[in-house]
């Protein structure tokens, strides 16, 4: 296992959170509070600058990327999609695990996704859902259903320091000894104070491997490029890697943190600016690398479950959306952030 930066460790002990404190620390759900709780300020969204960015987001979304317009709903009801809550999505039946590419598998639910990349030396798992029970009954059981051996999970990459992505790490690391990868910034955030918490999330993992922008996580024949894409958290990371579809190579990108879930924080404008900068930088990278697969860690945005249903029906792989569509998705995100910035700064 090779990493672009030498692993670091410390005496960090995962924060103990009492039942009284194990509730939302600020707004509720870490990744979708904006969808259920924020009230749009339609009047402020009517300014010419905000409207220009909203229109640019709508144009980029077309009819196929409407889910990303949920981001604009923070400040104006644009998407036309109903608000949702984590609880609504958790109540939905857990979809069957699925092979999406020759080397990429979905093991998640309608609320939060976990992805498994198979390599010549074991499995790289991307995110670990909410808690140990989900890690056991959805991730571990799902891998077995797919004919994969969960004991070969060598590496768990956590895209950001919110419990719906790290909550199951403790179970998997304790059982299989997996190494845990997180950005330096989010290890620090988790050490000094969680942004969000809730009773059904597992405890944050102890510090293991730290990565920064430009790091490479490698296992066997597979390399994953680490892209620092802050905003959603101070150290959200996105991932770029190759996937194979019947032997044909495609360049994939997983965006690590999408929602503007920090609207009541005093640093919300600098945070939003880092999101704007990240989407612009990664959009250019997507063009340069001909990224034609763009996925998320929440089905709410990438529609992974519906695409899996289409995949089972045969025909072209619906996860291969093309570079132009990948760029449009990043444009919707970028313009939505710019529109929100105009409203929040008013």
């Amino acid at each position: 296992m090779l990493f672009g930066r030498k692993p670091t460790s410390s005496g960090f002990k995962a924060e103990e959170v009492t039942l009284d404190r194990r509730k939302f620390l600020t707004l509720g759900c870490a990744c979708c509070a904006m969808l259920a709780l924020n009230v749009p300020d339609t009047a402020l969204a009517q300014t010419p600058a905000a409207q220009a960015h909203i229109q640019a987001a709508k144009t980029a979304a077309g009819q196929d990327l409407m889910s990303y317009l949920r981001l604009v709903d923070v400040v104006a009801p644009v998407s036309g999609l109903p608000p949702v809550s984590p609880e609504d999505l958790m109540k939905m039946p857990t979809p069957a695990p699925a092979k999406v590419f020759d080397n990429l598998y979905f093991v998640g639910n309608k609320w939060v996704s976990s992805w498994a990349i198979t390599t010549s030396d074991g499995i790289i798992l991307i995110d670990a859902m909410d808690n140990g029970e989900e890690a056991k009954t959805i991730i571990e059981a799902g891998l077995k259903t797919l004919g994969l051996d969960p004991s070969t999970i060598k590496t768990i990459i956590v895209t950001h320091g919110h419990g719906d992505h790290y909550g199951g790490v403790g179970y998997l690391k304790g059982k299989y000894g997996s190494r845990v990868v997180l950005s330096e910034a989010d290890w620090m955030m988790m050490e000094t104070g969680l942004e969000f918490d809730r009773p059904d999330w597992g405890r944050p993992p102890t510090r293991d491997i730290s990565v920064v922008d430009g790091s490479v996580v490698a296992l066997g024949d597979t390399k994953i490029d680490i892209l620092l894409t802050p905003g959603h958290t101070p150290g959200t990371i996105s991932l770029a890697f190759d996937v194979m579809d019947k032997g044909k190579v495609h360049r994939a990108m997983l965006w690590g943190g999408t929602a503007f879930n920090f609207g009541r924080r005093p640093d919300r404008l600098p945070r939003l600016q880092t999101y704007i900068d990240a989407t612009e930088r990664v959009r250019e990278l997507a063009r340069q690398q001909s990224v034609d697969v763009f996925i998320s860690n929440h089905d709410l945005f990438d529609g992974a479950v519906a695409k899996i249903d289409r995949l089972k029906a045969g025909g072209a792989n619906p996860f291969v959306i093309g570079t132009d569509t990948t760029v449009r998705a990043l444009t919707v995100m970028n313009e939505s952030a710019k529109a929100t910035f105009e409203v929040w700064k008013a």
Side-chain angles (χ1 to χ4, degrees), residues 11-275:
F12 166 54
K13 186 175 181 179
E15 178 184 0
E16 295 294 333
V17 181
T18 65
L19 288 175
D20 288 340
R21 288 191 60 229
R22 291 183 65 181
K23 57 183 72 173
F24 295 108
L25 298 186
T26 336
L27 268 182
C29 158
C31 295
C32 291
M34 37 76 69
L35 301 176
L37 301 178
N38 283 3
V39 178
D41 194 330
T42 307
L44 290 176
Q46 296 304 312
T47 63
Q51 281 296 305
H53 292 303
I54 289 172
Q55 186 56 52
K58 292 170 66 175
T59 299
Q63 294 300 310
D64 55 328
L65 297 173
M66 295 292 290
S67 58
Y68 289 97
L69 282 179
R70 286 184 181 275
L71 295 172
V72 190
D73 290 347
V74 174
V75 294
V78 170
S79 74
L81 299 171
V84 295
S85 71
E87 287 71 28
D88 293 336
L89 296 172
M90 288 175 182
K91 290 176 183 176
M92 299 182 72
T94 299
K99 181 178 182 178
V100 174
F101 288 95
D102 297 349
N103 60 328
L104 182 66
Y105 299 77
F106 173 88
V107 280
N109 59 19
K110 283 290 290 182
W111 156 234
V112 65
S113 303
S114 181
W115 298 91
I117 300 174
T118 53
T119 81
S120 61
D121 191 32
I123 293 173
I124 299 172
L125 189 71
I126 303 172
D127 286 343
M129 304 189 68
D130 294 283
N131 50 54
E133 181 63 20
E134 290 181 357
K136 178 181 180 180
T137 61
I138 298 178
I139 297 175
E140 183 181 52
L143 291 174
K144 290 179 180 178
T145 297
L146 293 165
L148 302 175
D149 183 357
S151 71
T152 66
I153 300 174
K154 300 286 184 66
T155 306
I156 303 173
I157 301 176
V158 179
T159 54
H160 61 275
H162 287 159
D164 50 338
H165 302 280
Y166 65 64
V169 167
Y171 173 83
L172 296 169
K173 182 175 182 179
K175 188 168 184 179
Y176 301 120
S178 312
R179 301 300 303 273
V180 183
V181 176
L182 211 83
S183 74
E184 173 62 27
D186 273 19
W187 279 126
M188 184 66 68
M189 180 265 285
M190 287 160 43
E191 291 174 8
T192 56
L194 300 174
E195 287 191 334
F196 298 95
D197 201 12
R198 51 179 288 160
D200 52 355
W201 284 351
R203 296 300 80 216
T206 55
R207 180 184 279 261
D208 191 2
I209 294 168
S210 177
V211 292
V212 296
D213 188 62
S215 293
V216 175
V217 176
L219 183 65
D221 57 359
T222 299
K223 293 182 179 180
I224 298 179
D225 294 328
I226 302 297
L227 311 171
L228 186 63
T229 54
H232 186 73
T233 65
T236 296
I237 55 176
S238 296
L239 314 174
F241 53 97
D242 289 339
V243 292
M244 276 70 71
D245 187 28
K246 301 178 178 63
K248 182 178 180 180
V249 178
H250 295 274
R251 189 65 169 166
M253 184 176 291
L254 186 149
W255 188 264
T258 309
F260 311 149
N261 59 313
F262 43 87
R264 295 182 186 175
R265 294 183 59 89
D267 63 346
R268 66 180 187 170
L269 288 179
R271 285 271 287 267
L272 198 55
Q273 186 61 56
T274 64
Y275 190 105

